[in-house]
Amino acid sequence: MLLEALPEGKIDDLLVPREERVPYPRVSQRQAWENLDDRESLIAEGCVALQGYPQLSATAYLKYASHGDRRTYEEPYFKRRSLLIRAVLAECAEDKGTFLNAIIDGIWAICEESTWVIPAHNGAANGLPGHEKWTPLPDVRTQGLDLFAAQTGATLAYAVFLLGERLDAVTPMVRNRVQLALEKRIFTPFMQRDDFWWMGFVRKNLNNWTPWILSNVMDSFLLAEEDDARIAAALTRALAMLDRYLVSQPEDGGCDEGVAYWNMAGASLLDCLETLRVATGGALDYYHDPLVRNIATFPVKAHVSGEWFLNFADCDAKPLLDGERLYTFGIRTQNTAMMALGNEICKRTGYQPMRDTPQMRRVMDALFTRRNPVGVAQKRDGSLSLPALQLYALERNGFYAAIKGGNNGESHNHNDVGSVVIYCDGKPVFVDAGNMVYTAKTFSSERYTLWNTRAAYHNLPLIGGVEQQAGAQYKTDQIAADGNMVTMELQAAYPPEAGLLGYRRTLVVTEEVKIEDEIQLKQAAQVCWIWMAREKPVILEKDETGQVHLGKVILLFDSALSFDFEEIPVTDARMARSYEGSLYRIFLSAKTARKHHYHFILQRG
């Protein structure tokens, strides 16, 4: 794909002069920095770095192995990088030498770290030779290259690129120290090894790691490597990996990790494409590619209303999307809807360069991208169809209802094949609880002991007490969809012990939302439907129809179903960003039978 578009398969002759390969101003280019609207705030924020950097200890690293604790090490790890970035930006904004000592201290401290790989990514997750399992402490005889090692390398490369002459005036040893660290931890592993799974040489199913790592590695080469032939070789190698990543993506551009991961997947792809475009003076421009364009528009397609987005897998219902990246991707693909949504997010969140794991390129983009008003993001009026991802949404009369097919072996998977999410007037009614703060259990054999990943806490039935299980073999069989209706066969989504002969779920949206389930069993069993509600349910009885009031919406169901619910206080800090307070888990249970055919209807109250 991308590699094939290279003229004669070479980048060497396409590289523009060195000073034109990076679109950001150095400290000596004073007008650009002094014209920044955020200049004074950058200087003020940089003062935090003058207080010093936190310690990173071996025992803190060990906390992940002993207690599943990621935060004890990761918080000071990311704070170091955030403080360094703040100090670099403050010195660029002021240029008085105030922050140089803090910058040197930060660079030196980070270069002295035994590894840039966080504990959760240590060992086999990075394809380290001789490690069948991750080790409690890093093996300093070899260097892993994970998301944050790559990100750290780029942060240091940006620091010496922006402030090189000021640092050299103190001592050239700072730049030399960074160069040695980049060579050992970034350049040599990237160029000489093929066994990191995210490269796509030993594994085909790739995720956000590939573009995220590549975007930072490419920046590091362009900023810090002096040999043009090696830069060209590195970019060519990165293109081969990006091709493998794109081949692994669905044609409709959907991200099976959820829209929250678009920041790291689709937006990181943009970072890579922008690097190539700028470094070659526009000679390498891949924004016309249909798959690239589909990946770009996924957040727009998954946008429900305001801060709410369609969520599944390890995705937040209110994801912290990068508005600037959306805006820029919209410019490159001539998509005004993306530009408008990006503008809307930027207006709502303001300038927050350290909102996520600190990534220098994103900070620079936020500072130096000038957005032009392109209107307010418009709410869709219609349906969403992503057949490769098997994600569909129907919208009418203020109702927005989505259903997800796929399988239970996807990246960042939750056991949720056939689950639905429903909004009314832009407010959640039936929800996907989404993500929680990551721990050792999150990506281990104990993942599905976490309640938010289990099918029993999604909008799905328990069949004879059996819920869906993890694995790509648990999937949808057949899907039919049009503008008002989606039908999925879900028999294969359940394990054999559920005893299913057939299970068809139909979602219909007209003036109301109707979910119809037809279940046939080998032997008579009870079926209990789970509905994860945002509002506390209030039960009322009327004639032969059960009614549950969920705020301004009424859930109608067959009165033969017994009703109960439990309150689930949201105590996890990450989940609480979307669902402060509590969620409510409704149980609608049918009596033992071989055939279960029920309708569940949502109407306005």
Side-chain angles (χ1 to χ4, degrees):
M1 297 175 67
L2 307 184
L3 202 56
E4 292 175 356
L6 279 179
E8 299 182 0
K10 293 184 178 181
I11 292 181
D12 309 57
D13 297 333
L14 302 179
L15 290 174
V16 297
R18 184 170 293 273
E19 287 300 315
E20 299 175 22
R21 295 175 191 172
V22 181
Y24 314 114
R26 298 176 188 261
V27 65
S28 57
Q29 297 171 277
R30 296 310 309 152
Q31 185 174 356
W33 287 99
E34 290 174 6
N35 288 344
L36 279 178
D37 294 336
D38 302 292
R39 181 169 176 265
E40 294 302 321
S41 63
L42 290 178
I43 296 171
E45 289 175 7
C47 292
V48 182
L50 300 177
Q51 301 173 17
Y53 292 81
Q55 181 182 3
L56 287 176
S57 67
T59 52
Y61 204 99
L62 285 167
K63 282 287 184 69
Y64 178 76
S66 61
H67 295 84
D69 176 0
R70 295 180 61 145
R71 298 179 68 178
T72 296
Y73 188 85
E74 287 185 18
E75 286 184 356
Y77 171 98
F78 288 124
K79 187 174 182 180
R80 277 188 171 191
R81 287 139 179 84
S82 176
L83 290 173
L84 175 59
I85 291 174
R86 291 178 190 276
V88 168
L89 294 176
E91 185 59 38
C92 286
E94 188 183 58
D95 195 26
K96 294 182 179 179
T98 306
F99 302 94
L100 282 179
N101 285 345
I103 293 165
I104 293 170
D105 283 343
I107 289 173
W108 210 260
I110 291 171
C111 288
E112 287 291 323
E113 292 171 7
S114 295
T115 183
W116 292 340
V117 176
I118 62 172
H121 296 167
N122 188 35
N126 293 302
L128 298 184
H131 290 268
E132 294 182 359
K133 297 182 179 180
W134 54 263
T135 53
L137 284 174
D139 187 342
V140 297
R141 294 171 297 179
T142 186
Q143 291 295 325
L145 186 48
D146 75 330
L147 300 172
F148 304 117
Q151 196 165 284
T152 298
T155 297
L156 295 177
Y158 271 105
V160 296
F161 168 80
L162 295 171
L163 290 164
E165 55 196 274
R166 303 293 190 265
L167 295 172
D168 286 348
V170 178
T171 172
M173 289 301 102
V174 177
R175 191 197 295 260
N176 291 345
R177 186 76 171 87
V178 170
Q179 199 69 33
L180 287 171
L182 289 175
E183 183 60 50
K184 179 180 180 181
R185 302 182 187 218
I186 306 295
F187 296 164
T188 297
F190 181 75
M191 297 301 293
Q192 294 186 3
R193 291 180 55 180
D194 292 335
D195 60 329
F196 293 119
W197 66 263
W198 51 263
M199 290 179 165
F201 300 126
V202 297
R203 172 173 149 180
K204 293 183 179 180
N205 55 323
L206 303 178
N207 62 15
N208 67 83
W209 278 51
T210 303
W212 189 347
I213 291 173
L214 289 177
S215 66
N216 285 286
V217 170
M218 292 163 72
D219 275 359
S220 295
F221 271 100
L222 282 165
L223 292 163
E225 176 56 57
E226 296 181 357
D227 183 348
D228 277 3
R230 197 179 188 206
I231 290 174
L235 295 181
T236 302
R237 186 168 166 81
L239 275 174
M241 298 173 196
L242 279 177
D243 275 342
R244 285 166 170 78
Y245 170 74
L246 290 172
V247 167
S248 73
Q249 299 305 295
E251 292 181 3
D252 53 34
C255 178
D256 67 358
E257 299 169 288
V259 71
Y261 273 85
W262 186 89
N263 274 359
M264 298 81 176
S268 292
L269 174 63
L270 168 66
D271 292 338
C272 295
L273 299 184
E274 280 294 277
T275 293
L276 292 165
R277 187 186 67 85
V278 174
T280 62
L284 293 182
D285 187 328
Y286 296 106
Y287 292 108
H288 63 279
D289 185 271
L291 178 55
V292 168
R293 287 174 172 263
N294 285 339
I295 290 172
T297 58
F298 179 59
V300 175
K301 295 173 182 175
H303 185 217
V304 179
S305 178
E307 298 178 81
W308 299 102
F309 286 77
L310 175 57
N311 71 310
F312 52 88
D314 280 344
C315 180
D316 310 302
K318 290 183 176 180
L320 301 176
L321 284 176
D322 191 322
E324 185 282 324
R325 293 286 80 186
L326 277 164
Y327 178 82
T328 299
F329 223 151
I331 292 176
R332 298 289 178 255
T333 58
Q334 299 88 47
N335 188 314
T336 55
M338 282 194 73
M339 295 169 64
L341 181 58
N343 260 340
E344 184 179 291
I345 292 173
C346 289
K347 182 178 180 180
R348 182 168 61 241
T349 61
Y351 172 68
Q352 295 181 342
M354 305 299 169
R355 184 176 61 186
D356 208 335
T357 58
Q359 181 151 317
M360 190 63 158
R361 183 198 183 105
R362 300 285 177 90
V363 176
M364 299 298 287
D365 285 327
L367 284 172
F368 291 100
T369 295
R370 289 291 177 261
R371 292 179 297 277
N372 298 311
V374 289
V376 177
Q378 297 297 312
K379 193 173 185 295
R380 293 169 323 283
D381 182 19
S383 61
L384 166 66
S385 177
L386 296 174
L389 191 62
Q390 297 186 347
L391 181 66
Y392 302 86
L394 306 172
E395 190 169 16
R396 197 167 188 178
N397 192 32
F399 282 110
Y400 176 96
I403 184 168
K404 178 189 174 297
N407 65 74
N408 285 335
E410 296 169 338
S411 184
H412 289 266
N413 176 72
H414 289 193
N415 294 334
D416 59 358
V417 175
S419 187
V420 298
V421 174
I422 299 174
Y423 285 75
C424 183
D425 296 333
K427 304 295 182 182
V429 180
F430 287 159
V431 306
D432 185 310
N435 208 355
M436 295 198 294
V437 173
Y438 288 156
T439 68
K441 287 185 178 181
T442 307
F443 301 108
S444 75
S445 59
E446 297 182 82
R447 176 176 177 82
Y448 297 98
T449 64
L450 302 171
W451 69 265
N452 66 310
T453 66
R454 292 176 51 190
Y457 291 83
H458 286 77
N459 298 309
L460 292 163
L462 303 176
I463 300 174
V466 177
E467 62 183 290
Q468 292 182 18
Q469 299 298 307
Q473 68 270 33
Y474 301 112
K475 60 183 180 179
T476 49
D477 277 330
Q478 302 174 36
I479 298 175
D482 60 31
N484 295 315
M485 180 177 69
V486 181
T487 298
M488 291 186 176
E489 296 289 344
L490 301 178
Q491 178 182 351
Y494 285 77
E497 53 265 34
L500 278 166
L501 290 174
Y503 178 7
R504 175 179 295 178
R505 167 164 280 190
T506 302
L507 172 66
V508 180
V509 180
T510 53
E511 298 303 306
E512 60 189 13
V513 178
K514 181 170 70 174
I515 300 163
E516 179 182 5
D517 277 0
E518 302 174 76
I519 298 172
Q520 297 183 46
L521 302 172
K522 296 176 184 177
Q523 296 180 348
Q526 186 186 57
V527 175
C528 177
W529 279 267
I530 305 295
W531 302 107
M532 299 293 293
R534 182 68 182 108
E535 300 289 338
K536 184 175 182 179
V538 178
I539 183 71
L540 297 174
E541 298 290 344
K542 182 180 179 182
D543 299 330
E544 296 181 356
T545 303
Q547 295 188 18
V548 173
H549 284 233
L550 302 169
K552 297 181 179 181
V553 177
I554 298 175
L555 170 63
L556 305 177
F557 57 92
D558 192 309
S559 60
L561 298 174
S562 65
F563 166 84
D564 200 357
F565 77 93
E566 65 173 344
E567 181 176 0
I568 302 179
V570 177
T571 58
D572 179 84
R574 180 166 185 171
M575 188 180 292
R577 294 204 305 251
S578 297
Y579 304 118
E580 185 179 3
S582 294
L583 296 175
Y584 299 89
R585 188 177 180 223
I586 296 173
F587 306 91
L588 293 176
S589 300
K591 295 179 180 180
T592 299
R594 289 187 61 190
K595 293 184 178 182
H596 298 268
H597 188 179
Y598 291 95
H599 297 83
F600 305 90
I601 299 173
L602 285 173
Q603 297 178 343
R604 292 180 177 276

